[in-house]
Amino acid sequence: MRLIYSSPIGNLELVADDSALTEVRFLESLQCFSKSDNSEIEHPILKDVIEWFDQYFLGNVSAPFLKMRIDGTAFQKQVLKEVLAVPYGKIVTYGQLADKIGCRSAQAIGGALKRNKLLIVVPCHRVVSSEGHLTGYAVSYTHLRAHETDSYL
């Protein structure tokens, strides 16, 4: 099932099957469900992820959304699962993440993050360059970092 979620940083397409959230991606200029429409969603996974996003954008720090399926190669899954451990409001560099999982290439980490289908939920916006910059991301990620930093302080 697919659903459009209107967030403060833009429209998000949420995709789920019967057991897990499978994709979250940014969309441009699509009609969105209003808040009242979201309350009528009967799909249990999407209902839960809407509540998670509502709380996230209110600045209420919560545990990672656990009803998700991370797809990809074994390496990509390893990287994305490690990113889930980066706390709200904190950042880690590509190099630090590479060291943590025993990878010799920060670029390989970036390649794995580029294939993240669960944007925001798997917080690749918390991974930055060695200079502390977000690299290779859409403008919405800058807003996410600002949102998390402001809420964290």
Side-chain angles (χ1 to χ4, degrees):
M1 177 168 196
R2 294 176 185 272
L3 158 65
I4 308 302
Y5 177 83
S6 179
S7 82
I9 60 167
N11 299 330
L12 301 172
E13 181 181 28
L14 310 177
V15 182
D17 61 21
D18 289 337
S19 62
L21 179 68
T22 59
E23 188 173 351
V24 176
R25 67 183 183 110
F26 289 108
L27 297 177
E28 297 296 325
S29 64
L30 286 176
Q31 185 176 7
C32 296
F33 290 100
S34 69
K35 206 63 149 157
S36 60
D37 291 331
N38 284 344
S39 68
E40 297 173 12
I41 299 300
E42 293 183 17
H43 191 282
I45 301 297
L46 290 177
K47 196 173 210 173
D48 288 349
V49 79
I50 287 167
E51 177 61 25
W52 187 90
F53 273 118
D54 286 347
Q55 292 304 309
Y56 173 86
F57 286 115
L58 287 172
N60 297 331
V61 180
S62 64
F65 186 79
L66 297 178
K67 296 176 188 171
M68 69 178 113
R69 185 177 66 234
I70 297 176
D71 292 326
T73 66
F75 176 73
Q76 290 164 352
K77 289 177 183 179
Q78 179 185 19
V79 171
L80 295 174
K81 286 178 181 176
E82 194 62 43
V83 170
L84 285 170
V86 179
Y88 183 96
K90 298 291 186 179
I91 59 171
V92 63
T93 67
Y94 293 100
Q96 289 169 325
L97 195 56
D99 289 344
K100 183 155 186 165
I101 65 169
C103 174
R104 293 191 290 192
S105 171
Q107 283 123 351
I109 300 297
L113 293 178
K114 188 184 288 187
R115 289 164 182 81
N116 178 14
K117 292 183 179 180
L118 294 162
L119 304 179
I120 305 171
V121 177
V122 176
C124 54
H125 57 279
R126 296 180 190 155
V127 184
V128 298
S129 71
S130 58
E131 293 84 27
H133 302 291
L134 282 169
T135 58
Y137 293 116
V139 70
S140 298
Y141 283 96
T142 304
H143 295 303
L144 283 173
R145 286 292 314 133
H147 166 75
E148 288 194 9
T149 303
D150 292 344
S151 298
Y152 186 76
L153 297 175

